[in-house]
Amino acid sequence: RGYLDNITAIGPRTVGSPENEVLAVNYLLEQIRAIERERTDAHKISVDIQRPTGSFSIDFLGGFTSYYANITNVVVKLEPRNGAEHAVLSNCHFDSVPNTPGASDDAVSCAVMLEILNILSKSSEPLQHAIIFLFNGAEENILQASHGFITQHEWAKSIRAFINLEAAGVGGRELVFQTGPENPWLVQAYVIAAKHPFASVVAQEVFQSGIIPADTDFRIYRDFGNIPGIDLAFIENGYIYHTEYDTSDRILADSIQRAGDNILAVLKYLATSDKLAKSFEYRHGNVVFFDVLGLFVLAYPARVGTIMNYITAVTAFFYLSKKVIQPKTRDIHTLKKFFTAFGITLISWICTLVTVLMVAVFVSVIGRSLSWYTHFYVSVFLYGTAAAASLILVHTLAKKFFYKNMNEQYLGDLFFDTSLMIWSVALAMITQMGLCSAFVCTLWVAFPLLAKLMIHKEFSQKGATMKFVTMYMLGMFVPYVYMMYLSWTVFEMFTPIMGRSGSEILPDVVLAGFIVIMTMILSSYFMNFIYLVKSTKTTLITLTAVFVVTLILVCSGIFFPYSSDTANPRPKRVFLQHTSRRFHDLDGNVVKSDSGIWINGFDYNGISHITPHVPEINDTIRTPCEERAPFCGLPWILPVHFMFRLVKNWYLPAPEIVLRSPVHFKVLSRELMPQNSVRLSFEVSGPSHMSLYVRPHEGSTLSTWSLGDGVPVASLGGDYFVFYSHGLQATPWHFWVELTAPEKHSDGIVSLAIAAHYFFGEDQKSPQLYDLLERFPNWTFSSGWSCTYDLFVF
């Protein structure tokens, strides 16, 4: 707790700022030296300050190239007295995003690592392998410091595995959401050593699918270091992740203790394991892993899971075939009824999905999106009741009109078998796709089938008695409890993300779709009860009444999306950039210039809730797109333009900003190269964060450049984006681009723009920006800075 409080007391630790490069580094070194003085003779501690410069390309956020200069890593190696050939890496980052204290992301992880270093160094028990503690100072700059370490530091060659400590929320339990690639022995190490396990292969496959707009240093160590690892992150309360509310007092001592217990145990296990030195011998094969209600983790090889899955599916298909295959005269009749039941189930799903999504779109169109953001129960009462009512209604109508006068027991049996068939087919298909998450389907086939076999005699002789219902519910207990547990974990991760997913995605549609899927899953083995009960009228009326009342309340605006409650805030995220722009022609003359405060709301609602508080921010100042300029002539700090529509951001005219440290951009040379190519060399000096945008003109091609691996990577839309940052005392940035161009190019061959971002210091906020930020309501997290955008044509 002391380490955490002291790191966050430094304030926001943006790369390049004195807080990050000097104060945080000095504090870490002071604590490490104090730990070193108290170590036992069984250990040796080495400390290194690395300030790497490098460049790489990454396909994150549509693809871009990153360049860093003189950023900071604090590296500590704890090893046996006589040294060690192999090492395990523990990684955290002490930098934070601008204007936030970054307690959970990721100061708490660094605090935990300091305490682990302290505990292990005082132990009289020697380690078999070294542990390298990397306190990296530029993760928020899209993984730059980890790249600098793993590709350039001499200790990196000894690393055989790593643990990456991250956050996607503030406090709570830390979830293992990525492992590998392959190397199942690492998961087994976590299973054996972790005292409070919380892990999910489902989370891993969801995260690696790219659905969540985030990435971690795990990618860098995996892709550039070819090292296997474990990725952990705090996921609770993601509503205040990357905001001013991410303070140390919001992270409970229990959360810190839990993380410390787990990470210490796993690191110690790996550092004394024979498998670490011979990890290449154990690298093949994936693993299925999941925790059981946070009590323990089950893990087994994926190949074993595949065999189990297919055996379960085949058993279910054999059971179903015995039900379908009857004496010849009844074969076709039975099969017809079976597929009719499947068709009715499919129709019920489609009707439910369409109905609920129509409600979600309606709520979004009338401006009531995210009504559930602060009041989560609203989403259940609105979309959950609509989904349940729709499903029940379709089956009730089928029972009344299509299955009129048919035996109720037969219908109940038929629709149970239909659900079993659907789950069995899903199990076989997902297993065939190679997804480890197929174990969820196994639960939904094995336990219901087992329950059905156990109560078949009771049901066939006496029907739906209380004994039958009780035994049926007990048989469904395991898959239902696990699915509810898994659903809550997914809700906990995804709901806050909807508040920072940009203006392109309708969050109500996403959440409604997820609730529909959960309703379909949870109701799959209960639809048969509709055909067993006498009437569903009371249930339908209750669900419809709850839905209608909730919809009326949502439409009235009573559920305000955001909250400034100090104990449990749900802020709206808004970024404001006081921007001065200059557009130059081919001769270097300024043909257009303007200045304004560029405003982006990070969710679908835009600024509709802010306009009553700041009237001048309204729909009359929509941001215009400069079609001839890369990225519409706007100073994006990252290539996230595809997440925001121009109709959902605003440009408020404001006086030109006066910078004490303006950016300097100059052409060093223009060279004619072989094969009709032109090389343009540049020098740029400016603040710690800059963005370079390149757009080759029609007929021209950007063939190579001095960045990354030399192969230009285009962003979504076709323009090229380079993210640049530097630490202290960095030399001017030199780079060149080479273009293949036609002989006639009267309008130039390339447009190149540079944006400079002032995230800290005296140039960060102009008086006009300060005044505007002060007027924003207290339920917003409004992050502001100054920037410039200069466009040149060559």
Side-chain angles (χ1 to χ4, degrees):
R1 171 63 74 177
Y3 293 140
L4 173 61
D5 290 342
N6 291 333
I7 293 172
T8 54
I10 294 170
R13 300 170 302 283
T14 311
V15 172
S17 69
E19 289 80 4
N20 193 68
E21 310 300 327
V22 179
L23 298 180
V25 171
N26 287 347
Y27 175 76
L28 289 170
L29 290 175
E30 179 184 319
Q31 302 310 310
I32 292 164
R33 287 174 184 137
I35 292 169
E36 186 177 11
R37 287 193 294 269
E38 297 183 9
R39 65 173 172 79
T40 64
D41 291 337
H43 309 284
K44 181 170 64 174
I45 293 179
S46 306
V47 185
D48 184 50
I49 305 299
Q50 183 199 24
R51 303 197 189 274
T53 296
S55 182
F56 62 97
S57 294
I58 189 170
D59 61 3
F60 180 52
L61 295 176
F64 66 97
T65 299
S66 183
Y67 185 96
Y68 54 90
N70 220 40
I71 56 176
T72 306
N73 280 322
V74 178
V75 198
V76 184
K77 180 159 69 170
L78 177 71
E79 58 185 332
R81 194 70 197 163
N82 297 324
E85 182 182 355
H86 307 287
V88 57
L89 170 71
S90 181
N91 176 79
C92 73
H93 67 91
F94 59 85
D95 66 312
S96 69
V97 295
N99 303 315
T100 70
S104 189
D105 188 23
D106 191 32
V108 67
S109 297
C110 292
V112 166
M113 277 174 44
L114 282 172
E115 184 60 24
I116 290 172
L117 174 63
N118 183 36
I119 291 170
L120 290 175
S121 67
K122 290 179 179 178
S123 171
S124 58
E125 181 183 349
L127 300 171
Q128 184 177 343
H129 309 293
I131 301 177
I132 295 173
F133 297 86
L134 173 59
F135 301 88
N136 103 46
E139 189 273 349
E140 298 296 356
N141 281 16
I142 314 299
L143 322 178
Q144 291 178 334
S146 55
H147 181 269
F149 171 78
I150 206 65
T151 59
Q152 299 178 39
H153 201 282
E154 59 178 341
W155 293 349
K157 299 173 184 175
S158 66
I159 296 170
R160 300 293 173 262
F162 70 88
I163 297 178
N164 183 49
L165 315 181
E166 256 298 348
V170 177
R173 298 183 294 171
E174 77 288 353
L175 170 69
V176 172
F177 66 100
Q178 284 193 102
T179 64
E182 299 194 79
N183 287 274
W185 68 277
L186 268 177
V187 177
Q188 292 294 344
Y190 177 82
V191 171
I192 293 168
K195 295 185 177 181
H196 317 284
F198 184 35
S200 174
V201 73
V202 177
Q204 172 173 291
E205 291 180 342
V206 168
F207 187 84
Q208 293 181 350
S209 71
I211 293 174
I212 299 176
D215 218 329
T216 74
D217 288 320
F218 182 98
R219 171 198 280 258
I220 298 297
Y221 299 132
R222 178 194 67 195
D223 295 352
F224 292 93
N226 196 28
I227 302 169
I230 299 173
D231 212 0
L232 304 101
F234 295 99
I235 63 168
E236 188 175 287
N237 201 4
Y239 300 97
I240 56 177
Y241 164 76
H242 280 188
T243 73
E244 62 190 343
Y245 298 105
D246 183 11
T247 52
S248 61
D249 60 294
R250 295 184 186 276
I251 304 175
L252 300 179
D254 288 349
S255 181
I256 302 172
Q257 185 66 50
R258 173 196 163 87
D261 287 345
N262 282 340
I263 297 159
L264 171 61
V266 176
L267 278 176
K268 193 172 181 180
Y269 181 90
L270 291 173
T272 55
S273 170
D274 292 332
K275 289 184 177 180
L276 186 75
K278 300 179 289 184
S279 59
F280 61 90
E281 295 180 11
Y282 307 97
R283 72 172 299 155
H284 295 297
N286 290 314
V287 63
V288 179
F289 61 93
F290 56 94
D291 71 286
V292 179
L293 307 181
L295 300 175
F296 58 91
V297 171
L298 288 177
Y300 48 88
R303 62 181 181 275
V304 173
T306 299
I307 295 170
M308 289 169 54
N309 294 346
Y310 280 131
I311 289 174
T312 304
V314 168
T315 303
F317 286 134
F318 179 75
Y319 163 82
L320 292 169
S321 67
K322 294 282 285 183
K323 297 290 290 290
V324 171
I325 298 173
Q326 302 287 343
K328 291 183 179 180
T329 54
R330 297 176 58 190
D331 258 0
I332 298 174
H333 183 68
T334 305
L335 204 59
K336 182 180 177 182
K337 286 188 177 297
F338 194 73
F339 281 106
T340 301
F342 171 74
I344 290 171
T345 302
L346 192 61
I347 290 169
S348 72
W349 288 357
I350 294 170
C351 290
T352 299
L353 185 62
V354 170
T355 301
V356 177
L357 292 187
M358 284 176 62
V359 174
V361 171
F362 170 75
V363 168
S364 302
V365 168
I366 65 171
R368 299 303 182 194
S369 185
L370 292 167
S371 296
W372 38 265
Y373 193 64
T374 294
H375 320 277
F376 181 73
Y377 59 88
V378 173
S379 65
V380 179
F381 289 167
L382 184 64
Y383 301 124
T385 56
S390 299
L391 282 171
I392 294 171
L393 180 62
V394 172
H395 284 282
T396 300
L397 292 173
K399 176 185 176 182
K400 185 174 181 180
F401 297 106
F402 191 78
Y403 291 121
K404 194 174 182 179
N405 300 323
M406 283 194 68
N407 181 273
E408 292 176 349
Q409 283 183 241
Y410 174 77
L411 291 174
D413 212 35
L414 177 64
F415 277 90
F416 174 90
D417 293 343
T418 302
S419 295
L420 184 64
M421 182 196 71
I422 292 169
W423 277 110
S424 301
V425 170
L427 172 60
M429 290 177 63
I430 295 173
T431 303
Q432 181 63 33
M433 291 166 64
L435 296 176
C436 294
S437 300
F439 80 90
V440 176
C441 296
T442 300
L443 297 178
W444 283 95
V445 173
F447 283 93
L449 179 57
L450 187 62
K452 183 65 185 300
L453 293 174
M454 290 174 62
I455 61 179
H456 175 71
K457 187 176 180 180
E458 172 76 17
F459 181 66
S460 59
Q461 291 179 354
K462 301 179 182 178
T465 62
M466 184 56 68
K467 181 181 178 182
F468 161 78
V469 173
T470 303
M471 294 179 67
Y472 189 89
M473 296 290 283
L474 287 173
M476 300 296 168
F477 181 78
V478 171
Y480 271 86
V481 169
Y482 183 76
M483 199 66 202
M484 292 291 287
Y485 174 71
L486 183 63
S487 299
W488 180 251
T489 302
V490 174
F491 268 117
E492 193 174 35
M493 291 180 64
F494 268 93
T495 306
I497 289 173
M498 293 296 98
R500 58 178 190 269
S501 57
S503 63
E504 290 289 281
I505 297 173
L506 276 69
D508 276 67
V509 169
V510 174
L511 187 67
F514 181 72
I515 289 175
V516 168
I517 292 170
M518 288 299 105
T519 305
M520 290 174 181
I521 291 172
L522 295 174
S523 66
S524 56
Y525 286 108
F526 282 98
M527 286 299 103
N528 52 323
F529 278 90
I530 295 173
Y531 298 89
L532 296 174
V533 299
K534 290 183 178 180
S535 173
T536 59
K537 185 176 180 180
T538 304
T539 305
L540 279 172
I541 290 173
T542 303
L543 289 171
T544 304
V546 173
F547 165 72
V548 171
V549 171
T550 307
L551 182 60
I552 291 170
L553 292 175
V554 166
C555 293
S556 72
I558 195 172
F559 299 115
F560 190 70
Y562 315 107
S563 170
S564 60
D565 177 26
T566 53
N568 200 21
R570 299 283 192 272
K572 176 181 176 62
R573 299 162 190 259
V574 186
F575 281 12
L576 299 93
Q577 297 169 237
H578 192 166
T579 306
S580 286
R581 303 190 300 175
R582 292 181 298 178
F583 300 84
H584 301 77
D585 64 12
L586 194 56
D587 299 320
N589 301 314
V590 176
V591 294
K592 179 184 176 181
S593 64
D594 61 27
S595 184
I597 298 176
W598 184 39
I599 304 163
N600 277 287
F602 260 55
D603 62 49
Y604 184 77
N605 284 330
I607 48 88
S608 58
H609 295 90
I610 295 173
T611 301
H613 300 268
V614 190
E616 59 266 41
I617 302 177
N618 54 59
D619 289 343
T620 65
I621 57 165
R622 300 282 191 184
T623 308
C625 177
E626 296 291 338
E627 299 290 350
R628 294 177 63 84
F631 292 92
C632 278
L634 296 169
W636 295 101
I637 181 63
L638 289 169
V640 292
H641 53 291
F642 60 92
M643 295 171 62
F644 299 88
R645 289 179 294 170
L646 287 180
V647 295
K648 283 289 184 89
N649 53 67
W650 297 261
Y651 196 69
L652 179 66
E656 184 174 353
I657 50 178
V658 179
L659 298 169
R660 296 165 182 81
S661 304
V663 65
H664 295 284
F665 179 88
K666 65 179 180 180
V667 182
L668 296 178
S669 65
R670 309 178 194 221
E671 303 173 70
L672 287 175
M673 307 298 289
Q675 298 179 338
N676 208 32
S677 293
V678 178
R679 176 176 291 186
L680 304 171
S681 300
F682 304 96
E683 177 185 284
V684 185
S685 59
S688 63
H689 292 70
M690 292 187 283
S691 306
L692 173 70
Y693 322 102
V694 181
R695 174 182 289 180
H697 291 186
E698 187 175 355
S700 302
T701 304
L702 180 61
S703 53
T704 185
W705 58 8
S706 59
L707 307 169
D709 60 1
V711 179
V713 173
S715 295
L716 290 177
D719 294 336
Y720 296 84
F721 188 102
V722 181
F723 179 87
Y724 168 89
S725 75
H726 70 70
L728 297 178
Q729 301 173 340
T731 58
W733 179 27
H734 292 90
F735 67 93
W736 53 260
V737 298
E738 192 169 304
L739 298 106
T740 304
E743 292 185 9
K744 295 182 179 180
H745 41 262
S746 58
D747 61 344
I749 61 171
V750 64
S751 292
L752 187 147
I754 189 84
H757 302 269
Y758 296 83
F759 282 126
F760 55 86
E762 54 188 5
D763 284 334
Q764 181 184 4
K765 295 175 184 175
S766 64
Q768 295 81 12
L769 184 55
Y770 263 119
D771 291 342
L772 187 62
L773 289 170
E774 286 294 316
R775 296 169 58 197
F776 269 64
N778 59 3
W779 41 262
T780 63
F781 168 64
S782 47
S783 182
W785 67 94
S786 298
C787 58
T788 60
Y789 179 100
D790 288 278
L791 175 72
F792 303 91
V793 182
F794 300 99

